[in-house]
Amino acid sequence: MTSKIHFLSGLPRSGSTLLGALLRQNSWFHASITNPVGSLVSRMLKAMSEDNEFSVLITPEQKRALTLTIFFPFYKPQAQKEAIFDTNRLWCSKLSFLPPDLFAQYDELSFWKNPSNSLANVIVAQPVEAVSK
């Protein structure tokens, strides 16, 4: 069922809510309003973080497997759907946990490291050169 779950998340006013509403109109898809899955995942990850003395005993693979156990019971009623879209905005902050290989690949392409290859150079602070007198 994990291949059926997709994460639809965006910043406010980006159109993700509209996209979720459009997807809900198709009976083959499930795209409900924000649900507690994101909060449950966050709490579980926190419980397995360095704040816990036993965190050294939990491998990254075990963390991922344990966290995935939240999704199956929650989305079991929608298991017959072709695709399930979780629309919680929280997923924006959990990208490294959801597509880790893809996140690592794109992490090196961050525009703030080299803004000249992107239109983002307009919003990145430029160094102020000293004015000679």
Side-chain angles (χ1 to χ4, degrees), residues 69-130:
T69 61
I70 295 171
F71 290 91
F72 298 116
F74 190 86
Y75 286 117
K76 187 176 180 180
Q78 289 81 27
Q80 79 284 359
K81 300 285 185 175
E82 292 294 318
I84 299 169
F85 295 92
D86 190 304
T87 60
N88 196 324
R89 289 191 200 278
L90 181 85
W91 300 125
C92 289
S93 67
K94 302 287 182 236
L95 288 177
S96 61
F97 173 75
L98 300 172
D101 299 334
L102 186 62
F103 185 81
Q105 177 184 350
Y106 287 113
D107 187 42
E108 293 301 316
L109 301 175
S110 300
F111 70 84
W112 52 84
K113 293 180 182 176
N114 183 4
S116 64
N117 296 328
S118 164
L119 291 178
N121 64 14
V122 176
I123 61 169
V124 175
Q126 303 295 322
V128 178
E129 297 197 22

Side-chain angles (χ1 to χ4, degrees), residues 8-76:
L8 176 60
S9 184
L11 296 173
R13 311 296 304 157
S14 67
S16 57
T17 303
L18 175 61
L19 180 56
L22 292 171
L23 290 168
R24 272 193 295 279
Q25 294 178 15
N26 188 327
S27 62
W28 290 9
F29 300 145
H30 173 77
S32 70
I33 59 172
T34 299
N35 58 50
V37 173
S39 297
L40 292 169
V41 168
S42 290
R43 288 187 183 118
M44 183 173 267
L45 289 173
K46 183 168 175 36
M48 294 185 286
S49 73
E50 291 79 27
D51 295 341
N52 183 335
E53 64 185 285
F54 299 109
S55 66
V56 296
L57 302 174
I58 306 171
T59 67
E61 293 79 18
Q62 289 172 319
K63 285 182 185 180
R64 185 168 175 80
L66 286 167
T67 307
L68 286 175
T69 61
I70 295 171
F71 290 91
F72 298 116
F74 190 86
Y75 286 117
K76 187 176 180 180

Side-chain angles (χ1 to χ4, degrees), residues 2-15:
T2 54
S3 62
K4 289 184 174 188
I5 300 175
H6 305 279
F7 300 95
L8 176 60
S9 184
L11 296 173
R13 311 296 304 157
S14 67

